[in-house]
Amino acid sequence: MSSQRSEISKQAIGVAMTSLVVLCAALALLLGADADARDRYRCIPADGGASYTSPGTCRSNTAAREPLTEQEQEDVEASVRRGRPHTRCTAADGSYSKFFSENKECPSATDTRTIEYAKQPIQRAREGAPPPETATPSLSPRAPIASPSAAQPPAPSMSPARSGTGWFAMLVPLALVGLGIWGIFKWIEQRIDRSKASAREEREARAQAIAQRRNQAAPDTAMPRVQPALEGSDMHQKAQDFLAALGVGADVPGGMAFRGALEQAKLDYSMESLNRVDQLLSQVRAKFAPQRESWQSQPGGDNFCLLLGFYLGEIISRQANQPIQWHTREQAAPLMPSDMPLPEASWSRVVGIIAASACVPLGVIEDALFGDSPGMSCKAYVEHRLAKLPKPAAKDENERCTQMLDAFFNDAGIVGGLAFRKHLTLAQLDYSLSSLERLDQMLRSIRATHKPMYTDCVNNPDTQNFLRFVGFYIGMTVARVGSMPVKWLDFSQAKKDLPELEFQFETSSICLLGGRFYFLLGLVTEILLQPDPQRNLPGWANDALQHAPAPIPSILRSSVQSDSASPLDDLRALAIRKAGFMAAWCMFAVEGGATGAPTVFVPGEDNGGTFTDFGFYSNAESASAAAQSKMETNPDRVPFQVMSFDGYANLHTGRTDALTIELRIYASERPSMQENFTMTVACPYRNANDPKGFAIYSPKLLECSATAEVHSAIFQHFYLGIAEFKAQDFDWFKYLDERI
């Protein structure tokens, strides 16, 4: 439809231009006489011949060009009104007197040369003036030029009657041209209306016919490859223009293939729209079997690929909250690392630079259209690129630890760089104790070959990141092997528990592993930088594991199938099931990415109860304090209460988002109980805003006043409470990942 509009618009422009030419011609006919007269000059030949008038250009043998006097201008105007001028040549001896054309040279024996019009004398415009013998007197090169008389003002070039008639005559062609243009545009509007219904079918039929001709063409008659001329282009502006045209359904220079299909795909910059892009590319491939060379030689086809490439890059930019800058391959070459140059390939002709990282989305687009066996989808490509982008600056040491380790294992960038990255890759880091032996050998090898200096290492961003990364990896490896809770503290946080601590690089990040403080940066700098290191990584790890506390018990789904007799009384069994129910209820609240507000469950009659939400407080601290106060004072004098709040759990995998569930059974309200029953369960989860999506990890029993003999029964009733919660589109077990 857009291509037909374009063709019709071109026709309209052509017709309009033709009309303007006609209008200009009409005006020229009206005004030409005056303009022609006013622009005339007297040309004086160099050979002494008779002078002649010209509308501006003299012959090559002219010695001089002089302007006409006002009287002569008036005579020429009058002569033009009378008719075509002729030249009369009269012989000196009277033997002949003949008419010649205006520019005809007289014979050499000519005595006089005059200009006449149909053998009638030229009348002066001013009434009462006697007619001159000639309209333009013959002047020799040396003859003086007559000046206008001071007593007689120059006559006007056109009489009043002539002027009024001229303007009236001008209005006639103007009106005709205006009516013509109006009729043309009405005709165009009708053509557009008639073409709307059949435009899409015609375009698809034409594309199918082209594809069939391509498939039937012999190899030696295939079109030569025409690489789009992008060198020197403002690729970033091109991307902005293409995306802007996509938003309003406008056309782009060269046209756009499958514009109707692009509109149906609803490209709204969401991650879900990438599935529709994959489906569109699959349909184009199946229906038209496009070939790379012939496809790229057509502007509309190449624009289709460029638009989708720009679209993928824009989604990456929006998801990462980082701007993207588009370049041609030649423009991007200086920005690439020396050991990673851009290949000379079709898909690398357009490069997007985002957060100091290059992306070439044309690769996945062209592979989907022309590849022998398309592999990565557009959605997978965007997710892959997002995982490789450097994350924003961490808020604390726990977040920094997670970012640096994830960036390395996902081959993503780290703000400030990461020194010795190839050495780390060769060490085959896999969170095993044997990997610590390889890491120790790597540090000693770098020490021997590079001889790093302490000041440079702790002050340069990339080497400082290297030291921190190694420290983080050591702590997280030992935590995983020993199933030990781990937490990272900065200097100010550790100073509260260690008042004697002094600030230096080695104390800027401290590991709290299994309840004990470890200065892992000091261990790394000792092995890498100190003259005579006394410790090694495997030895330190073994010492740390000897102090590991008992692993935190996980509450697994399989607990529900336990058929052992429950040693719990009815009250504890009910209270624990309500704790499980509240865990599911609060997890449902955070499924969409929201933060769970502090909430207290107060039991009621007939196995019911009420939920009190403290989210209306001005800040999280006040809300938590109010909920905790309700748990402490038990103002409703109920047998038990359950509280939930959103926060973190320090697991062996590091700090993780988690809902904390606290249960209290009050002995004062139950005469048969000698002491209160307390239980604290952490329900860790992966936040919905994580690129991997929402997930629930196995609950952890952090604290319990009962002995280990009843833990199995506690786990069973907790999961029974989870199963009792029913909500539309939410299923705890659908999101459950018990690997953590």
Side-chain angles (χ1 to χ4, degrees):
M1 184 63 206
S2 59
S3 60
Q4 288 196 358
R5 281 201 188 105
S6 177
E7 292 298 327
I8 295 174
S9 299
K10 291 179 180 178
Q11 296 177 10
I13 292 173
V15 175
M17 291 300 295
T18 304
S19 302
L20 290 176
V21 170
V22 173
L23 176 60
C24 293
L27 294 176
L29 290 176
L30 294 173
L31 304 177
D34 298 288
D36 189 55
R38 289 299 181 187
D39 291 336
R40 286 183 176 274
Y41 293 87
R42 177 183 294 103
C43 301
I44 303 174
D47 58 0
S51 62
Y52 59 91
T53 60
S54 173
T57 303
C58 298
R59 292 190 289 269
S60 59
N61 64 343
T62 302
R65 190 182 75 166
E66 300 174 350
L68 299 180
T69 65
E70 291 189 5
Q71 183 61 55
E72 291 169 341
Q73 292 267 13
E74 178 183 343
D75 293 341
V76 171
E77 292 167 7
S79 67
V80 171
R81 290 196 298 271
R82 279 185 168 276
R84 183 179 178 183
H86 291 78
T87 300
R88 174 182 294 278
C89 298
T90 303
D93 57 0
S95 60
Y96 68 87
S97 177
K98 298 181 179 180
F99 282 109
F100 293 89
S101 62
E102 182 180 7
N103 296 325
K104 180 72 175 180
E105 296 289 342
C106 290
S108 58
T110 299
D111 180 33
T112 60
R113 182 174 183 271
T114 60
I115 297 177
E116 298 182 9
Y117 296 84
K119 297 183 179 181
Q120 295 180 10
I122 300 176
Q123 299 295 328
R124 292 175 178 263
R126 192 169 60 251
E127 294 183 0
E133 294 183 359
T134 60
T136 304
S138 177
L139 299 176
S140 65
R142 291 175 295 275
I145 300 175
S147 60
S149 173
Q152 297 178 352
S157 60
M158 187 179 296
S159 65
R162 167 72 176 176
S163 176
T165 304
W167 285 111
F168 175 79
M170 288 172 60
L171 294 176
V172 175
L174 282 172
L176 292 176
V177 171
L179 289 173
I181 293 176
W182 177 83
I184 290 169
F185 280 103
K186 292 296 292 184
W187 172 78
I188 292 172
E189 183 179 358
Q190 294 174 358
R191 286 289 302 273
I192 292 175
D193 292 339
R194 288 196 301 268
S195 64
K196 284 183 178 179
S198 60
R200 182 173 300 169
E201 290 78 7
E202 293 178 0
R203 183 172 63 253
E204 292 180 354
R206 185 165 55 254
Q208 186 173 5
I210 293 173
Q212 291 175 353
R213 289 198 298 271
R214 290 173 181 168
N215 294 335
Q216 296 171 359
D220 56 345
T221 62
M223 296 179 64
R225 179 174 180 176
V226 179
Q227 184 67 27
L230 299 179
E231 292 77 3
S233 301
D234 187 348
M235 194 53 57
H236 189 70
Q237 185 61 48
K238 191 183 195 75
Q240 301 304 310
D241 294 342
F242 273 42
L243 294 176
L246 173 66
V248 298
D251 208 346
V252 297
M256 180 69 65
F258 306 108
R259 173 165 294 282
L262 287 170
E263 294 175 356
Q264 293 179 357
K266 297 180 180 179
L267 304 184
D268 55 3
Y269 299 99
S270 65
M271 294 294 290
E272 290 75 16
S273 70
L274 296 175
N275 293 326
R276 298 192 289 272
V277 173
D278 286 325
Q279 185 178 7
L280 170 61
L281 293 172
S282 178
Q283 291 174 350
V284 172
R285 179 187 178 93
K287 188 172 183 180
F288 300 102
Q291 301 299 314
R292 187 188 304 269
E293 291 78 8
S294 56
W295 183 278
Q296 291 181 343
S297 67
Q298 305 296 326
D302 192 59
N303 285 344
F304 174 76
C305 294
L306 289 175
L307 172 64
L308 291 181
F310 294 145
Y311 181 75
L312 264 60
E314 183 65 19
I315 290 183
I316 296 173
S317 173
R318 295 189 181 194
Q319 290 289 325
N321 196 25
Q322 297 281 350
I324 187 170
Q325 189 74 26
W326 294 98
H327 305 272
T328 63
R329 177 174 46 239
E330 292 71 22
Q331 294 166 347
L335 306 176
M336 301 299 296
S338 58
D339 58 342
M340 296 178 62
L342 288 167
E344 289 287 339
S346 171
W347 51 267
S348 64
R349 67 186 187 274
V350 177
V351 182
I353 303 297
I354 176 172
S357 178
C359 65
V360 280
L362 275 182
V364 68
I365 301 296
E366 294 191 0
D367 184 52
L369 289 174
F370 317 124
D372 295 333
S373 55
M376 182 178 291
S377 66
C378 292
K379 186 174 183 180
Y381 174 80
V382 170
E383 291 174 345
H384 176 72
R385 293 306 311 169
L386 286 172
K388 288 182 174 294
L389 291 177
K391 300 298 186 297
K395 299 178 181 178
D396 60 14
E397 290 302 301
N398 293 282
E399 188 172 347
R400 182 187 295 189
C401 173
T402 302
Q403 284 188 6
M404 295 189 76
L405 293 176
D406 287 348
F408 174 77
F409 287 106
N410 290 317
D411 192 26
I414 295 177
V415 178
L418 179 63
F420 306 113
R421 189 161 194 158
K422 291 183 178 179
H423 293 74
L424 291 168
T425 302
L426 294 174
Q428 301 177 14
L429 306 180
D430 57 4
Y431 293 111
S432 65
L433 287 177
S434 59
S435 70
L436 295 181
E437 296 180 4
R438 296 189 294 270
L439 189 60
D440 186 88
Q441 295 173 3
M442 183 205 73
L443 293 174
R444 298 178 190 276
S445 174
I446 294 175
R447 173 194 178 96
T449 56
H450 293 272
K451 297 179 173 56
M453 302 299 294
Y454 178 87
T455 303
D456 294 336
C457 281
V458 300
N459 289 308
N460 291 331
D462 59 341
T463 51
Q464 185 184 112
N465 283 343
F466 171 75
L467 298 174
R468 292 185 181 277
F469 172 83
V470 174
F472 287 141
Y473 178 80
I474 295 169
M476 297 307 299
T477 299
V478 174
R480 293 191 180 204
V481 172
S483 297
M484 303 162 62
V486 59
K487 182 178 181 180
W488 296 89
L489 308 174
D490 59 24
F491 172 79
S492 61
Q493 293 170 327
K495 183 76 170 176
K496 298 176 182 177
D497 295 315
L498 304 171
E500 72 282 0
L501 195 65
E502 295 183 0
F503 180 77
Q504 54 186 348
F505 175 73
E506 287 77 3
T507 61
S508 61
S509 181
I510 301 166
C511 181
L512 183 60
L513 185 61
R516 298 170 65 93
F517 291 95
Y518 292 96
F519 299 90
L520 297 181
L521 286 179
L523 176 64
V524 176
T525 55
E526 177 186 343
I527 297 174
L528 182 65
L529 304 171
Q530 295 301 323
D532 187 18
Q534 301 298 312
R535 296 181 291 175
N536 58 70
L537 298 185
W540 177 88
N542 289 329
D543 291 341
L545 289 172
Q546 291 178 4
H547 297 92
I552 301 175
S554 295
I555 305 177
L556 302 178
R557 181 182 183 182
S558 57
S559 302
V560 180
Q561 280 74 40
S562 176
D563 56 358
S564 61
S566 173
L568 299 176
D569 58 71
D570 293 342
L571 178 60
R572 284 195 295 180
L574 174 62
I576 293 172
R577 285 201 305 273
K578 291 302 181 182
F581 183 90
M582 188 167 191
W585 188 84
C586 294
M587 196 66 75
F588 168 68
V590 302
E591 176 196 14
T595 300
T599 306
V600 175
F601 172 77
V602 179
E605 298 180 357
D606 299 328
N607 202 24
T610 59
F611 291 89
T612 302
D613 188 335
F614 291 85
F616 57 87
Y617 280 78
S618 59
N619 54 69
E621 291 77 11
S622 299
S624 297
Q628 191 66 44
S629 175
K630 187 174 182 64
M631 290 289 290
E632 293 286 347
T633 60
N634 188 18
D636 299 309
R637 315 308 297 176
V638 292
F640 69 89
Q641 291 186 126
V642 185
M643 180 177 70
S644 170
F645 59 89
D646 200 358
Y648 300 100
N650 296 312
L651 307 179
H652 65 280
T653 54
R655 191 182 70 177
T656 308
D657 288 317
L659 291 170
T660 300
I661 309 297
E662 289 188 6
L663 168 62
R664 290 195 182 189
I665 302 178
Y666 304 100
S668 60
E669 307 302 326
R670 193 78 170 191
S672 60
M673 293 186 62
Q674 297 181 354
E675 59 182 11
N676 293 344
F677 173 84
T678 60
M679 181 182 74
T680 303
V681 177
C683 298
Y685 64 91
R686 187 173 61 215
N687 197 285
N689 297 319
D690 189 280
K692 298 178 182 178
F694 181 74
I696 302 174
Y697 303 129
S698 58
K700 313 295 181 184
L701 183 62
L702 301 181
E703 295 179 1
C704 184
S705 61
T707 59
E709 287 78 8
V710 298
H711 283 181
S712 177
I714 290 174
F715 297 167
Q716 182 184 35
H717 284 279
F718 188 83
Y719 251 112
L720 286 173
I722 291 175
E724 289 176 1
F725 178 79
K726 304 296 182 182
Q728 185 179 6
D729 299 330
F730 176 80
D731 185 354
W732 178 289
F733 304 107
K734 179 179 69 174
Y735 296 113
L736 184 60
D737 180 0
E738 293 188 325
R739 292 175 296 178
I740 296 178

